[in-house]
Amino acid sequence: MKKATHKNRTKRKPKKQITQTTSNAKKAVKRKVPTNSKKPTKKRKKKLNKKKSRKMKLLFFEIGLTILLTTGVVYLLSLFTFSLTKVEGYSMSDTLEDKDVVVINKLTDIKRFDLVYMRVPNSKDKSIRRIIGRPGENVYYKNGQLYINEVEKDERFIADYKNQFEKDGMMFTEDFTLKNLTGKPTIPKGKYLVLGDNRPYATDSRYYQLVDEKDIIGTVEMRVLPLHKLQKF
């Protein structure tokens, strides 16, 4: 028997090893990397610009409509409830000065010593005066003092101004009686006696007599301008 020798042994070829890195590289080649960096075309740009333009137009339309509706509501409310007016002249100094802007309330009841915005009798003018006498009352001034139904009434709103005049030996409110003014002992129904706070220089019921209730537009609620004089009455 022949012994197997070293020469008769067949050499085995080593198997090819596929490395993991090679397979991963192939997979990487096969995979397509998605790209989102495509630049918009001219048509796409036009569409985007049109959309933006429509949105802006719609926004401006909504803003304009809101302003228009708000203005309309404020205007309608002002016809029936309140309004702003500017003081003209110095008949109400030093309570109100020329060019002051005040808020007029058209719905409140009229009380004594209220400031009222009214139409001047026998005139196209409008002015602000103070309610002194009301329907059914007897009103007169004696020695510069107000009396209503024979009761003395303090006018605190003119106290400082009045004291200055009296120190100089002058009468702040000249004496008068309702009977001498109107020929009647009491104020008729639907009428009011009004005076300006600046008594020596104001034109009021002492000149144009009593004011009809229908000619009183409203009461002065507050001064809004100038801002540093903001005040509620």
Side-chain angles (χ1 to χ4, degrees), residues 118-175:
M118 58 174 222
R119 300 177 189 89
V120 178
N122 305 316
S123 172
K124 295 181 180 180
D125 296 334
K126 297 175 184 177
S127 64
I128 294 173
R129 295 294 183 268
R130 193 180 294 274
I131 297 289
I132 302 298
R134 299 178 300 176
E137 296 178 340
N138 177 278
V139 181
Y140 65 91
Y141 277 83
K142 185 177 180 179
N143 297 324
Q145 176 62 52
L146 171 64
Y147 290 87
I148 297 177
N149 296 334
E150 304 299 332
V151 178
E152 186 177 314
K153 297 289 184 180
D154 290 330
E155 298 178 281
R156 296 178 182 176
F157 43 87
I158 58 170
D160 294 338
Y161 213 6
K162 179 181 176 183
N163 290 337
Q164 290 176 10
F165 266 74
E166 290 178 349
K167 283 180 181 179
D168 295 334
M170 295 184 291
M171 189 73 71
F172 189 69
T173 307
E174 294 292 336
D175 292 349

Side-chain angles (χ1 to χ4, degrees), residues 34-68:
T35 57
N36 295 324
S37 59
K38 290 183 179 180
K39 294 183 178 180
T41 60
K42 290 183 178 180
K43 289 184 179 180
R44 194 176 178 188
K45 282 182 179 179
K46 286 182 179 180
K47 286 182 179 180
L48 290 173
N49 290 333
K50 283 183 180 180
K51 285 182 179 180
K52 286 181 181 179
S53 179
R54 287 174 186 172
K55 286 181 179 179
M56 290 299 293
K57 286 179 180 178
L58 183 61
L59 179 63
F60 284 125
F61 175 76
E62 289 176 350
I63 292 172
L65 184 62
T66 302
I67 293 172
L68 184 64

Side-chain angles (χ1 to χ4, degrees), residues 175-187:
D175 292 349
F176 71 89
T177 65
L178 186 65
K179 192 169 184 179
N180 292 336
L181 190 66
T182 66
K184 298 178 181 180
T186 58
I187 298 174

Side-chain angles (χ1 to χ4, degrees), residues 206-227:
R206 293 172 294 178
Y207 296 89
Y208 46 68
Q209 297 193 6
L210 305 178
V211 176
D212 286 330
E213 185 175 8
K214 65 181 181 181
D215 287 329
I216 296 175
I217 300 168
T219 60
V220 178
E221 289 294 312
M222 66 184 301
R223 172 170 45 201
V224 292
L225 291 175
L227 289 175

Side-chain angles (χ1 to χ4, degrees), residues 8 21 26 56 58 63 83 100 105 116 125-126 129 158 183 192 194 216 231 233:
N8 292 330
T21 55
K26 289 180 179 180
M56 290 299 293
L58 183 61
I63 292 172
S83 63
D100 285 356
N105 188 340
V116 294
D125 296 334
K126 297 175 184 177
R129 295 294 183 268
I158 58 170
Y192 290 87
V194 299
I216 296 175
Q231 180 184 1
F233 297 103

